[in-house]
Amino acid sequence: MLPHHLKQIRVLMLNDKENLERTLFRLEQGFELQFRLGPSLQGRKVTVYTNYPAEGQRFERNKFRVLLWNYPTGKEDDSDKFCSLDLKIAGPYQYYFRHGDKERSGGGYIVVDPVLCVGQDDHIVPLDCITSQTFLSKCLGYLDDWTDRLRVAKESGYTMIHFTPLQTLGESRSCYSIADQLTFNPEFSPLGHSHSWADLGALVEKMQKEWNILCITDVVYNHTAANSVWIREHPECGYNLVNSPHLRPAWVLDRAIWHVTTRVADGHYTIKGLPPDITNDSHLNAIRSVLWQEVYPQIKLWEFFQVNVNRTVEQFRNLLQNGTKPNHSKTGGKKGLKTTQDPQYRRFGNTVDMDSALETFVPHSSSAQHIEECCGWLRQKLNELNEEQHHIVHQHQEQATNCIVGNVVYERLAKHGPKLGPVTRKNPLVTRYFTYPYKDLTLEQEMQLLDQPDQSSHFLAHNGWVMGDDPLRNFAEPGSYVYLRRELICWGDSVKLRYGNGPEDCPYLWAYMQKYTEITAKYFHGVRLDNCHSTPLHVAEAMLDAARTVRPNLYVIAELFTGSELIDNVFVNRLGISSLIREAMSAGDSHEEGRLVYRYGGEPVGAFVQPSLRPLKPSIAHAMFLDVTHDNECPIQLRSALDALPSSAIVSMACCATGSTRGYDELVPHQISVVKEERFYTKWNPSATLTSPNEVGIQSGIIAGKLALNKLHRELAAQGFTQVYVDQVDADIVAVTRHCPSTHQSVVCVCRTAFWNPNTHQYNNHVPPMFIPGEIEEVVLEARTVERHAGSYKKDNNYINGMPEYSVEIKEHILLQESKVVKQAGVTSKGRSEFVQEITFQKLTPGSVIAFRVSLDPRGKKLVGVLRYYLSQFSPKYKKGSIAEENPPEVMQKPLAQLLSQLKLADLNVLLFRCDSEEQEDGGGCYTIPGWGSLKYAGLQGLMSVLADIRPNNDLGHPLCSNLRQGDWLIDFVSNRLIHREGPLSQVGQWLEAMFNYLKHIPRYLIPCYFDAILVSTYTTVLDAAYKQMSSFVQNGSTFVRHLALGSLQMCGVGRFPALPPLSEKLEGIPYRISPITGQKEQCCVSLAAGLPHFSSGIFRCWGRDTFIALRGLMLLTGRHTEARNIILAFAGTLRHGLIPNLLGEGRCARYNCRDAVWWWLQCIQDYATHVPQGHLIICCPVTRMYPSDDCEPCKPGEVEQPLYDVIQEALQHHLEGISFRERNAGPRIDMNMRDEGFNVVAKVDPTTGFVTGGNRFNCGTWMDKMGESDRARNKGMPATPRDGAAVEIVGLSKSTVRWVVELHAKGLFPYDGAKVHRDGQEVYISYSQWSQQIQNSFETNFWVSADPKDPTEKHPDLVHKRGIYKDSFGASSPWCDYQLRPNFTIAMVVAPELFTVERAWHALEVAESKLLGPLGMKTLDPDDMVYYGVYDNALDNDNYNLAKGFNYHQGPEWLWPVGYFLRAKLYFAKKLGEETYTRTVTLVKNVLSHHYTHLEKSPWKGLPELTNENGQYCPFSCETQAWSLATILEVLHDL
């Protein structure tokens, strides 16, 4: 595990084909971002590119650089390698990655937040501290008066001012219609004086340094004022009829509608039922009639989309008469007439592709008659096509009609509309879509202008917005019919700007707008992107890049109306938007307003402590949450004046940036129009009277309340109150809690909203009491909106004034008993750790707010402090809020690491793991969480696996968290199971118990968070202690290696009953204990479980085969040498008939029914001798024999002892002599399914080949040992895979052993060089070197299946199913079984590679890879085999012989442990084939292993399963974690 860094590190996993362009990842400066490879990319050559600039370089959006990989363990293990970015510069950055020959395999964006500073000392303002107020710049008056007007923001507690554009405005006087983007609006200068941008800059700097206020302003990229001088000089900067001829039909319609406007205004249509003053539905119907009966027939818009039939037919006739043939390379010989829209959009300008016409309409001959006939067909087709276009345009006209009428309804009839009154030239029927800078002519004359570019280049499209349109599409570009269909909600004062695809398309516009941007960035701390969703993304990108060059920490806000969070993310990602504007006014009731607070920021109260190094999780965009925006309707009109304060309070309690607009706090009862408002804001005067029209003070409106709320908002963010809880008390009351996770102080703000006017709405008089956990320290503020007698509101002509009728009654920082809002507060206690105050209200009237500061009760506060003190030994993040204990208990006086250093690895098995059946041996079990289920382990890992899913998502509603809040059962379980043990484990239990004693007495809502903190700290320290006791391979290994090494702790333990028979007392390093059963001293050696949960306890824990397949990986490679030696010697003591048992049963209940376990045991002795320093000495170790002769009763420990080399010799000698016996107690007592013949065990060395051979068709002596159990399917007593004869892996293992003893003898380390045996009545001596050579000579001759179908040496060509492979066995009673493709030959390749020819071995491995390799395991049988079944179901009993009762256990399902041997074999032989093959193989190996790494990470068992069903599907009958699966994968990593 990585230590808890103070530095924040986020890890982004890269997955193949994962494009995250619409996912938002927000990061802060100072963070490190690491890119790591997900499983789909491990083992591939992946290159990561980013446009985040290298140190000292400038950011260029299209300049990408390669990030270099770091290898923390020094090895190229893809589980740990990463490349990283130290994030020091704000902005949006892109990354992508590729592998192989792909351009891109995936990618996305990250957004780094800016750092904002204020004050003389440049102290940082966190984004969540921002409270912004919007000012309409044109209402500020002369620059010299601004200080007094802006001071209102300062005195109201705002930290940011947002100015609408400060440039020269257009003739409409809209704040957003800018005539000259480069000049400071001259209106701000009095006569005879000219203020400049520099003067404004000085004011902005003064506010930053002296007032601690930041300033931002709008940038408007989408349009310019229609009367901008520069657009007349550069009409190419807009969409005109020359550069955008697709708009010509729309312009014609626009002019026609204008002419209708003039005729309506002049009364010409009154006689037709359409007077200038439109007031009812019949007038609307008259508009429709005029359009359909006069306008559309006159302008014939369809002609812009049609073909000139006569001209086209004439052209076609000429071609036919000249004998022209179609160009087949263009048509591809396909019939079908192709027409093309005229790019210039002239009437009847569309053309026909003549090649397609010639291909489609072919005359029978070249006679005039046939040509005319053919022309007739074409004419008919063209008329049809023209009719289709007429129909399409008809649909456009229907939509245009609806939109025109809809517009008239809104502007003239709707209650909520502007009620424009009669149609005039100033207030036309509908807003014009295009500029027309000339004198009106007749419509016919104006149509002539279409073909005069000098004039038509000045007909510029206005800007606007389109309801429900795709924000990523530019509605003015070709392909859009928005202007023709009149779907644009048009701003008639502005011209839409046309940037094209880049600066080369409109150099003047790009340069001009860049200069505008740079001026803005020079003087302001941030920008608001006006109309962001309609601004072309590439334009905004380029402009903001220019802005950040001037001001790197640019704060960018925008309001998006995309209706989709994913599309919002596209804008945020590409533009680096710091905060998205969100509005409380969008909420229809208080419930929704509260939900928005929860949505826009903060964690839940009691959230888990997250590690500093953790996965990068998608974010939602940071919010600037406004009570109202400056361009929306006034809340007083929509709700009530009384709601201003409580809604503001709800917004202020949000854990994000907040804001408002000037006028809201003064209770201005109407919208301050960005277009029409020309009055000035009032100035600040602390002693302003209530009726003063041009001044405001602290008594005005809700300013006093807002000041207190803004101060509170700032304080909560600055002091780390990052946790939020929203409680909907009743229909109108919302309580918002902000909580600080380090001090556990809370502020609870109770707001009674007033969405409806209390004069007309009956509010409930009963206010429910509230229960607040903890001790109320003070009332931070209580405020009520009250009516006062100061006259009623009269709109002033010169100043924007508010309602004098209301004021705020406010008290701050008072004691609870001084409150006027609270009636009484009683203390109730729920249990020993719940200190709760019950609050009853008396004056929480609509429009009231009360905020309490709450801390834990004194005892709770102290105990949390002590807990944090003890946790700070693990991470400095707990130091804040920690309190040292005066008289700590003895167990707490040492650091936990010191206690853990006394534990052995076997103790850690108890501390971390132990499944239910292991615990049950001791009378316990795993903890069951009500409503969820049992933990996988009783040890810490059981909980850690569950918490790993809960913690990152703060899933405090999980049943585990509920259980922790409800009682101490789980807490006691964790410590009690350790306290009852002996020695150091008991001390660890006492340490946990002491920690839990503090935990139990803190408020229950905090228990999940601190319980997790204690467990995480303990767990990571335990892992560190474990790795310290392991080999350097593990200590210096990757995360993957360490995860697998934990399998050693998982599987190796000491149970209540000794699993191994006793060892010789002459050995050193044998652990002893007092037996919990007999009270006598006994050996307590570690044994190795085969798998969890099925093979973990009792007689089914230890299996000879499983133990020795797993021993090298789990014990030798992890450095557990003494324990490995003890297991080898314990099994040596049970040797009988030259075999070691499969099921050990403590030696007394052993079954000697397998032929391979003894060879795996011998392989492990060899591995021990070669791997462990001085390991060869093991062969001289004393073995206490349980069965010194084959037929004796078990001897007492120590009665017969002999050195291990004699036991090895006995095993070899027995095989050479030949083994043949009948199992003791043969029959249903030891095996309910086996037939009588199956109990006869035979194994011997074939004198002709040297192969160890044996078995019969009624037993199964190798690892593929499934015995049939189904009477119904008639497979009972029949092995599915007898593998009798010479099994390939046993041949390999025996060759390895014999080779090794020959080498040992040559070094004088093994006293025997052969054995005497009886053959044909003679005693003969067989040397081991002779035996070894015999196997070598016989192997490929008898096991290789040639790739050549005509190979004369193949004795059974009719049985060959796969070529170029090694047989699974030789000499089976069913000869076809020899030829089955199975993964077992790979085992022989690893242990005895000398048996194999390199090229043949490689070919066989390639076949195995293509046919047998699955995602996690190897298929146990060729899928082309007729008895292959890939799904193992041990519960199924049917008539299918090959499936019933899991008969196919080894006939297809994918077992994991053979993958280790397959990969090791590939690596070995790849090395022999050269560098290129080896590199390619390493890639394959890493890729295969990535699946195991992923499984291991996600598995609640933290293990690898025994097997999977076909294609890696989960198998419910498999052990969830299996010793040999973990061991063999660890061996592959060791080989790498």
Side-chain angles (χ1 to χ4, degrees), residues 610-836:
Q610 303 295 342
S612 311
L613 184 151
R614 59 179 184 267
L616 179 63
K617 288 179 73 87
S619 329
I620 66 161
H622 184 257
M624 176 177 272
F625 191 29
L626 274 64
D627 38 36
V628 66
T629 56
H630 62 287
D631 48 4
N632 268 349
E633 291 164 274
C634 167
I636 295 174
Q637 290 170 315
L638 293 174
R639 295 182 183 173
S640 77
L642 291 182
D643 189 60
L645 179 68
S647 276
S648 252
I650 290 173
V651 167
S652 295
M653 289 299 287
C655 188
C656 59
T658 59
S660 188
T661 188
R662 180 76 203 269
Y664 180 95
D665 299 346
E666 292 121 292
L667 299 180
V668 173
H670 58 83
Q671 184 184 359
I672 302 171
S673 167
V674 296
V675 180
K676 294 178 178 161
E677 187 59 79
E678 294 292 343
R679 298 172 300 158
F680 293 137
Y681 289 120
T682 48
K683 294 180 177 178
W684 178 259
N685 178 352
S687 49
T689 63
L690 297 177
T691 50
S692 168
N694 65 339
E695 292 177 329
V696 288
I698 199 74
Q699 292 303 313
S700 310
I702 63 162
I703 287 178
K706 198 53 159 284
L707 170 63
L709 290 169
N710 281 341
K711 245 174 17 195
L712 179 60
H713 178 263
R714 221 165 45 238
E715 175 198 316
L716 293 176
Q719 293 178 7
F721 283 69
T722 53
Q723 299 183 344
V724 181
Y725 172 67
V726 179
D727 182 12
Q728 187 71 36
V729 180
D730 72 7
D732 307 303
I733 300 171
V734 177
V736 183
T737 301
R738 288 280 295 276
H739 182 83
C740 173
S742 50
T743 63
H744 296 297
Q745 206 177 60
S746 301
V747 170
V748 182
C749 187
V750 185
C751 312
R752 188 163 192 195
T753 58
F755 274 53
W756 296 275
N757 189 335
N759 298 331
T760 56
H761 177 80
Q762 183 60 49
Y763 281 90
N764 190 348
N765 290 328
H766 171 69
V767 175
M770 276 197 72
F771 296 90
I772 296 179
E775 186 174 52
I776 296 176
E777 288 185 3
E778 63 161 354
V779 173
V780 182
L781 66 95
E782 63 177 31
R784 296 169 60 230
T785 316
V786 290
E787 288 197 52
R788 59 180 168 192
H789 305 293
S792 59
Y793 172 76
K794 290 190 190 64
K795 186 170 181 177
D796 190 83
N797 291 330
N798 301 313
Y799 296 97
I800 301 168
N801 60 322
M803 298 169 74
E805 314 67 321
Y806 294 99
S807 145
V808 168
E809 198 179 77
I810 183 166
K811 289 182 183 174
E812 293 183 76
H813 306 295
I814 59 171
L815 295 172
L816 190 57
Q817 47 270 36
E818 297 170 40
S819 167
K820 293 274 170 57
V821 174
V822 172
K823 186 173 174 186
Q824 66 181 66
V827 174
T828 63
S829 185
K830 284 166 43 190
R832 63 184 174 206
S833 57
E834 285 297 304
F835 190 92
V836 178

Side-chain angles (χ1 to χ4, degrees), residues 1028-1154:
K1028 276 183 186 142
Q1029 293 187 53
M1030 291 190 182
S1031 63
S1032 60
F1033 167 59
V1034 176
Q1035 287 182 30
N1036 306 326
S1038 65
T1039 308
F1040 191 9
V1041 167
R1042 289 174 160 212
H1043 278 354
L1044 288 164
L1046 283 185
S1048 173
L1049 300 184
Q1050 203 180 84
M1051 299 294 173
C1052 301
V1054 181
R1056 182 176 172 80
F1057 307 101
L1060 299 179
L1063 299 168
S1064 167
E1065 294 187 1
K1066 295 173 191 158
L1067 287 165
E1068 288 176 10
I1070 299 177
Y1072 288 90
R1073 69 177 179 193
I1074 301 302
S1075 165
I1077 298 149
T1078 64
Q1080 303 295 310
K1081 181 180 169 186
E1082 68 178 8
Q1083 293 181 9
C1084 54
C1085 290
V1086 162
S1087 65
L1088 212 160
L1092 311 181
H1094 308 314
F1095 306 116
S1096 58
S1097 60
I1099 65 164
F1100 293 108
R1101 178 177 173 85
C1102 283
W1103 300 74
R1105 175 190 300 124
D1106 295 70
T1107 295
F1108 294 111
I1109 291 175
L1111 189 108
R1112 179 174 182 265
L1114 290 189
M1115 302 196 81
L1116 297 181
L1117 297 185
T1118 57
R1120 304 184 71 169
H1121 299 155
T1122 305
E1123 292 156 314
R1125 178 206 69 180
N1126 293 346
I1127 290 173
I1128 289 169
L1129 296 176
F1131 270 90
T1134 63
L1135 188 90
R1136 197 176 200 180
H1137 304 293
L1139 300 174
I1140 65 158
N1142 187 23
L1143 180 63
L1144 178 62
E1146 298 165 36
R1148 294 172 184 278
C1149 308
R1151 275 195 77 186
Y1152 294 86
N1153 61 335
C1154 73

Side-chain angles (χ1 to χ4, degrees), residues 1155 1251-1254 1283-1288 1291 1343 1368-1372 1378:
R1155 307 194 305 277
F1251 299 160
V1252 174
T1253 182
R1283 300 189 70 230
D1284 54 339
V1288 66
V1291 174
F1343 274 93
D1368 187 53
S1369 56
F1370 172 71
D1378 286 343

Side-chain angles (χ1 to χ4, degrees), residues 1347-1358:
D1348 176 8
K1350 298 195 173 75
D1351 187 344
T1353 60
E1354 180 52 70
K1355 297 185 181 69
H1356 299 286
D1358 52 320

Side-chain angles (χ1 to χ4, degrees), residues 1253-1360:
T1253 182
N1256 64 46
R1257 67 193 189 90
F1258 297 107
N1259 60 28
C1260 28
T1262 73
W1263 78 276
M1264 293 184 162
D1265 56 359
K1266 178 67 183 179
M1267 179 61 74
E1269 299 171 37
S1270 171
D1271 286 318
R1272 184 174 166 187
R1274 297 192 175 87
N1275 65 24
K1276 186 165 180 168
M1278 294 303 291
T1281 42
R1283 300 189 70 230
D1284 54 339
V1288 66
E1289 76 276 19
I1290 296 180
V1291 174
L1293 288 161
S1294 60
K1295 173 68 168 78
S1296 172
T1297 298
V1298 179
R1299 179 210 334 112
W1300 174 60
V1301 295
V1302 170
E1303 290 165 5
L1304 277 187
H1305 181 74
K1307 292 177 185 167
L1309 299 173
F1310 187 73
Y1312 305 102
D1313 67 348
K1316 287 182 183 158
V1317 295
H1318 294 86
R1319 294 266 163 95
D1320 305 325
Q1322 304 283 314
E1323 187 175 83
V1324 290
Y1325 188 79
I1326 296 174
S1327 77
Y1328 292 144
S1329 57
Q1330 176 193 336
W1331 184 9
S1332 176
Q1333 194 56 48
Q1334 192 180 20
I1335 299 172
Q1336 183 73 40
N1337 297 342
S1338 310
F1339 183 75
E1340 286 219 330
T1341 313
N1342 292 299
F1343 274 93
W1344 173 245
V1345 180
S1346 173
D1348 176 8
K1350 298 195 173 75
D1351 187 344
T1353 60
E1354 180 52 70
K1355 297 185 181 69
H1356 299 286
D1358 52 320
L1359 297 177
V1360 175

Side-chain angles (χ1 to χ4, degrees), residues 106-157:
Y109 289 85
I110 57 164
V111 177
V112 183
D113 288 339
V115 171
L116 305 174
C117 300
V118 295
Q120 301 293 350
D121 58 350
D122 272 342
H123 62 267
I124 291 174
V125 182
L127 298 191
D128 289 346
C129 278
I130 290 171
T131 53
S132 171
Q133 191 175 37
T134 298
F135 283 75
L136 305 189
S137 302
K138 67 177 181 178
C139 299
L140 283 166
Y142 294 141
L143 186 63
D144 303 338
D145 293 334
W146 283 22
T147 307
D148 291 336
R149 294 196 165 104
L150 296 174
R151 187 177 284 277
V152 176
K154 174 184 182 289
E155 302 299 338
S156 307

